[in-house]
């Protein structure tokens, strides 16, 4: 699964709250390990990175994660890896290196990410390069953790490109390990679908497969924010579990040939996976004949994948077969208290105003009613003002990647300011730029290739639909990990329980849906939702302010932009023949006024109606009543 700090926030939806997110995972993990023990099978819990940027609990401290990392550390992961959001700022990377990675030891994998160790003056791996381990029931696994070829990191860290990694002797020696390997696990903040522009898993897969042609490979990835399952060959697949902590991905595998296995091959009373690694459809829905094959004769591997909405009701059902209070453990309740106390300490519930409606990143076309960017244009024009230059016409350019999440109708709090726009980019400017030049910069940036330094893929690079709203979960087919195929699926049941039936519902609510590219089809959702529309957004957007009231255009403007994209703006200016350099750039406002500041400032001006009793909307994807 892919997680970020947004999962520790009080998201105003029917499916989540601050006390039922990572807390529910902690409790679910306890229940599932107990059930796996009873079924005599192995269960592994994996995280694919990004613990920062998207919630006050992680982002309201300096450095980010000082208080939230210990919350995550309550989860008993088997394997974890690093994300790009741990690498933008050096002190966050050092916090990860000095504390978080140490908690998990060799479970925290950073096969291609290093950090400059101040004690030695040398680059060292933030976590372990690989992990060779044996599961409780004897499956011998070689695991790697590989970040995509990320280039936006600080100079305190180094990301080794996949093409170089696969030539390094330690990596090749690990593939050719002296001890038996039953399964390769490749995890990473890295798209499992190798056709994705940022994925490097294809390079890793080809290298392992060329050396070990008969050993299964399983990848778990992230970053492109989709529910997706990719088939590489008849012994290799990859799972991506949506974005943030809004989806828990479940994969069951059977048929691993492990001579030391001591568990049950076909646990009784529960469904077992039956799907071979065969693509069932193309993105257009056309049936195809099958995937490439490994050189292993007649692969015995079968799979099943399911995408679970991240909420207490879903977890309780799969954990105990009901949604009663028997789900809770004292360990989870203790962490709930910890989170509540941290939220109070950080004053995350401080109210700035009442958001009058829901604004989404991508469920509406850019500029349409309900799209968040017209709101932000208004907010920027109203709040990004240098009083000494207030009468000077200005263009204000931001990258759309500075927005991390939707803004939901209801209370807009200090915590929400991090959910919507967690980054702390300052506002820089060049004064008195000719309007006929400045007015062309936005178009140049959006046409590229100047803006390459993105915190995330732009919305046009992936098709994940935003959540919000949840209904009673439908009956899923979820299966435990075991070794051999079991013919035929049992009647639909909960994750590892026996024969419990769930109440059906025919009313669909907007929410998460399986990617159209999923090689096992589009039926992977545990809770069936109507799909929220998705529209591509540009890389950058612009606000105008203090233009002549007679409707004429100014001769010159203050060209304002984020320090995060300053070099891109200079490149765009030079492409027009202008001679500006970074020496001409200065801060328009104090560095303390950032992309995390302007929306709260606007809320204090424009959203005071109904305070403190803010009406709460239905969420993203619903029609306004």
């Amino acid at each position: 699964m892919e997680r970020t700090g947004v999962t520790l926030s009080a998201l105003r939806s029917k499916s989540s709250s601050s006390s039922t997110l990572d807390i529910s995972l902690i409790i679910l993990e306890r229940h599932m390990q107990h059930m796996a023990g009873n079924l005599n099978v192995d269960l592994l819990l994996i995280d694919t990175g990004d613990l920062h940027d998207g919630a006050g609990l992680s982002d309201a401290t300096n450095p980010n994660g000082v208080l939230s990392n210990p919350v995550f550390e309550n989860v008993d992961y088997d394997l974890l890896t690093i994300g790009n959001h741990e690498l933008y700022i050096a002190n966050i990377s050092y916090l990860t290196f000095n504390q978080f990675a140490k908690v998990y030891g060799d479970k925290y994998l950073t096969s291609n990410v290093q950090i400059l160790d101040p004690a030695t003056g040398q680059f060292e791996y933030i976590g372990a390069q690989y992990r060779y381990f044996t599961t409780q029931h004897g499956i011998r696994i070689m695991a790697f953790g590989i970040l995509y070829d990320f280039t936006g990191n600080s100079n305190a860290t180094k990301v080794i490109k996949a093409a170089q990694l696969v030539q390094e002797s330690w990596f090749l020696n690990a593939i050719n390990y002296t001890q038996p390997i039953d399964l390769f696990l490749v995890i990473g903040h890295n798209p499992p679908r190798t056709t994705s522009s940022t994925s490097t898993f294809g390079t890793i897969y080809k290298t392992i497969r060329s050396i070990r042609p008969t050993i299964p490979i399983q990848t778990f990835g992230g970053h492109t924010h989709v529910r997706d399952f990719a088939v590489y060959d008849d012994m290799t697949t990859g799972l991506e579990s949506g974005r943030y902590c809004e989806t828990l991905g479940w994969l069951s595998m059977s048929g691993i040939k492990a001579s030391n296995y001591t568990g049950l091959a076909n646990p009784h009373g529960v469904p077992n996976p039956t799907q071979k690694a065969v693509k069932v459809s193309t993105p257009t829905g056309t049936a195809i004949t099958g995937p490439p094959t490994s050189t292993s004769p007649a692969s015995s591997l079968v799979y099943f994948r399911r995408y679970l909405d991240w909420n207490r009701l879903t977890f309780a059902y799969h954990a105990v077969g009901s949604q009663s209070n028997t789900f809770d453990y004292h360990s989870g309740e203790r962490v709930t208290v910890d989170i509540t106390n941290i939220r109070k300490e950080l004053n995350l519930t401080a109210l700035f105003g009442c958001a009058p409606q829901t604004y989404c990143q991508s469920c509406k076309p850019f500029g349409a009613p309900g799209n968040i960017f017209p709101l932000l244009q208004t907010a920027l024009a109203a709040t990004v003002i240098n009083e000494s230059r207030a009468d000077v016409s200005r263009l204000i350019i931001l990258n759309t990647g500075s927005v991390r999440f939707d803004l939901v109708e209801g209370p807009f709090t200090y915590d929400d300011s991090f959910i919507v726009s967690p980054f702390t980019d300052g506002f820089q400017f060049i004064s008195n730029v000719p309007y006929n030049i400045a007015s062309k910069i936005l178009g140049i940036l959006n046409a590229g290739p100047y803006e390459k330094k993105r915190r995330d893929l732009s919305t046009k690079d992936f098709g994940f639909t935003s959540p919000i709203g949840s209904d009673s979960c439908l009956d899923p087919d979820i299966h435990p990990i075991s070794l051999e195929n079991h013919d035929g699926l049992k009647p639909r049941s909960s994750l590892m329980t026996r024969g419990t039936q769930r109440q059906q519902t025919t009313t669909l609510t907007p929410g998460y849906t399986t990617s159209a590219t999923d090689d096992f089809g589009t039926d992977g959702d545990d809770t069936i939702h109507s799909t929220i529309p998705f529209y591509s957004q540009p890389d950058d957007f612009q606000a105008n302010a203090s233009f002549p009231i007679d409707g004429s255009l100014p001769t010159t403007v203050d060209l304002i932009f984020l320090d995060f994209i300053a070099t891109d703006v200079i490149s765009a200016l030079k492409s027009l023949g202008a001679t500006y350099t970074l020496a001409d750039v200065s801060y328009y406002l104090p560095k303390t006024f950032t992309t995390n500041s302007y929306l709260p400032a606007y809320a204090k001006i424009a959203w005071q109606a109904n305070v403190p009793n803010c009406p709460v909307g239905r969420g993203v994807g619903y029609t306004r009543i």
Side-chain angles (χ1 to χ4, degrees):
M1 102 203 81
E2 172 177 320
R3 315 189 309 168
T4 64
V6 73
T7 62
L8 295 175
S9 305
L11 294 176
R12 290 185 302 279
S13 75
K14 298 177 183 178
S15 60
S16 59
S17 73
S18 62
S19 63
T20 61
L21 289 163
D22 265 75
I23 305 315
S24 292
L25 178 63
I26 293 168
I27 300 171
L28 177 66
E29 185 269 336
R30 306 287 195 275
H31 280 290
M32 300 309 294
Q33 289 290 2
H34 177 72
M35 283 188 279
N38 289 340
L39 291 169
N40 207 16
V41 297
D42 287 316
L43 178 69
L44 302 179
L45 188 63
I46 297 170
D47 183 277
T48 59
D50 271 8
L51 302 183
H52 303 85
D53 301 329
L57 200 73
S58 61
D59 301 347
T61 60
N62 186 19
N64 290 5
V66 168
L67 298 181
S68 61
N69 278 2
V71 174
F72 287 116
E73 290 164 8
N74 285 277
V75 185
D76 188 15
Y77 286 107
D78 295 281
L79 296 171
L80 309 86
T81 191
I82 201 164
N84 55 299
H85 284 260
E86 278 77 74
L87 299 177
Y88 287 106
I89 299 175
N91 62 0
I92 294 176
S93 302
Y94 279 113
L95 181 68
T96 303
F97 174 58
N98 292 319
Q99 297 182 29
F100 190 75
K102 300 296 189 292
V103 169
Y104 286 101
D106 68 349
K107 296 179 179 180
Y108 192 78
L109 299 173
T110 60
S111 302
N112 67 327
V113 182
Q114 298 178 331
I115 193 167
L116 184 63
D117 189 341
T120 64
Q122 303 295 318
F123 277 95
E124 300 182 12
Y125 288 91
I126 293 178
Q129 292 167 265
Y130 64 90
R131 184 185 183 208
Y132 177 80
F133 67 104
T134 302
T135 66
Q136 182 178 356
H137 294 97
I139 300 176
R140 295 157 297 192
I141 295 174
M142 176 60 74
F144 302 103
I146 300 170
L147 181 67
Y148 70 99
D149 287 350
F150 176 54
T151 58
N153 51 301
S154 75
N155 59 10
T157 57
K158 180 190 297 183
V159 178
I160 300 167
K161 293 185 182 300
Q164 176 184 341
L165 175 66
V166 298
Q167 299 179 44
E168 296 193 359
S169 58
W170 76 261
F171 184 74
L172 298 173
N173 290 338
I175 297 173
N176 280 309
Y177 204 61
T178 56
Q179 300 297 315
I181 298 174
D182 302 315
L183 174 68
F184 285 99
L185 283 183
V186 181
I187 71 170
H189 199 72
N190 203 329
R193 185 159 298 281
T194 59
T195 54
S196 171
S197 61
T198 55
S199 178
T200 61
F201 273 177
T203 300
I204 305 303
Y205 155 72
K206 290 176 183 177
T207 302
I208 296 174
R209 179 58 71 232
S210 67
I211 298 172
R212 303 299 293 265
T214 64
I215 306 300
I217 306 169
Q218 181 60 49
T219 73
F220 293 92
H223 188 60
T224 40
H225 296 179
V226 290
R227 291 179 167 186
D228 194 24
F229 191 75
V231 173
Y232 296 54
D233 64 33
D234 60 349
M235 300 182 68
T236 308
T237 67
L239 178 72
E240 180 170 359
S241 304
R243 65 174 179 177
Y244 309 154
C245 250
E246 296 158 350
T247 298
L248 176 66
W250 172 268
L251 175 68
S252 54
M253 297 174 61
S254 293
I256 302 170
K257 296 184 182 301
S259 60
N260 285 356
Y261 186 66
T262 60
L264 285 179
N266 301 306
H268 299 293
V270 294
N272 282 255
T274 61
Q275 176 66 48
K276 292 280 190 178
V278 175
K279 299 179 183 180
V280 301
S281 66
T282 66
T284 58
T286 305
I288 60 175
T289 56
T293 60
S294 68
T295 58
S296 176
S299 171
S300 60
L301 289 167
V302 286
Y303 304 84
F304 189 87
R305 60 87 180 92
R306 179 70 75 179
Y307 308 108
L308 282 67
D309 283 359
W310 193 290
N311 59 61
R312 178 187 173 88
L313 293 178
T314 295
F315 289 179
Y317 174 76
H318 287 299
V320 297
S322 73
Q323 296 167 344
S324 69
N325 58 11
T326 58
F327 177 62
D328 289 322
Y329 276 141
H330 291 303
S331 57
E333 293 173 337
R334 173 179 53 79
V335 180
T336 297
V337 172
D338 291 342
I339 287 181
T340 300
N341 290 338
I342 294 171
R343 289 178 60 80
K344 289 180 179 177
E345 176 184 347
L346 298 176
N347 198 27
L348 295 180
T349 58
L351 181 64
F352 294 133
C354 300
Q357 69 175 81
T358 292
Y359 305 89
C360 66
Q361 287 179 288
S362 57
C363 76
K364 302 285 186 179
F366 180 78
N371 177 263
I372 196 170
F373 295 105
L375 165 69
L376 300 186
Q377 289 170 328
T378 300
L380 288 164
T383 61
V384 180
I385 304 172
N386 180 325
E387 292 299 334
S388 68
R389 304 183 63 81
D391 294 333
V392 179
S393 299
R394 56 194 182 274
L395 299 179
I396 309 167
I397 299 175
L398 278 71
N399 59 312
T400 54
S402 65
V403 178
R404 188 75 171 150
F405 202 72
D406 308 307
L407 194 162
V408 181
E409 178 182 355
F412 182 73
T413 65
Y414 183 43
D415 193 20
D416 292 297
S417 73
F418 293 101
I419 293 173
V420 176
S421 185
F423 307 112
T424 53
D425 303 323
F427 291 88
Q428 295 184 325
F429 84 119
I430 300 174
S431 64
N432 302 318
V433 177
Y435 178 77
N436 65 342
I437 292 177
S439 60
K440 297 175 183 177
I441 300 303
L442 179 66
I444 293 173
L445 290 176
N446 279 328
Y450 298 104
E451 193 169 328
K452 296 180 180 179
K453 185 182 178 185
R454 298 176 181 170
R455 285 197 178 85
D456 266 315
L457 300 176
S458 73
T459 53
K460 67 173 178 281
D461 290 320
F462 51 84
F464 186 83
T465 53
S466 300
I468 304 299
S470 175
D471 46 40
S472 299
C473 301
L474 301 179
D475 301 339
D477 293 323
I478 304 293
H479 319 293
I481 298 174
S482 61
L483 283 183
E484 297 297 337
N485 184 19
H486 179 72
D487 293 332
L489 288 174
K490 299 290 185 181
R492 305 186 94 183
S493 64
S494 61
L495 193 65
M496 289 187 185
T497 54
R498 294 170 168 82
T500 305
Q501 292 296 311
R502 309 180 76 172
Q503 183 176 357
Q504 298 284 345
T505 177
T506 57
T507 303
L508 299 184
T509 57
Y512 310 109
T513 55
T514 305
S515 168
T517 64
D518 191 297
D519 287 340
F520 271 16
T522 57
D523 60 348
D525 304 312
D526 179 58
T527 300
I528 309 302
H529 291 292
S530 59
T531 299
I532 299 171
F534 176 85
Y535 297 91
S536 293
Q537 308 292 312
D539 289 337
D540 300 274
F541 69 105
Q542 176 178 283
N544 304 344
S546 297
F547 273 40
I549 59 176
D550 62 4
S552 63
L553 296 176
T555 303
T556 62
V557 296
D558 283 348
L559 180 62
I560 303 169
F561 43 86
L562 300 182
D563 49 15
F564 185 73
I565 61 171
T567 56
D568 303 315
V569 171
I570 293 298
S571 296
L573 286 166
K574 288 182 177 179
S575 74
L576 293 171
T579 59
Y580 298 106
T581 69
L582 288 175
D584 299 302
V585 176
S586 60
Y587 277 90
Y588 182 78
L589 291 172
K591 293 181 181 180
T592 54
F593 190 92
T594 70
T595 45
N596 180 244
S597 307
Y598 71 90
L599 201 52
Y602 180 74
K604 293 176 183 178
I605 298 171
W607 291 350
Q608 294 307 296
N610 299 312
V611 170
N613 301 310
C614 302
V616 177
R618 302 175 70 192
V620 174
Y622 290 89
T623 302
R624 294 194 73 196
I625 299 176

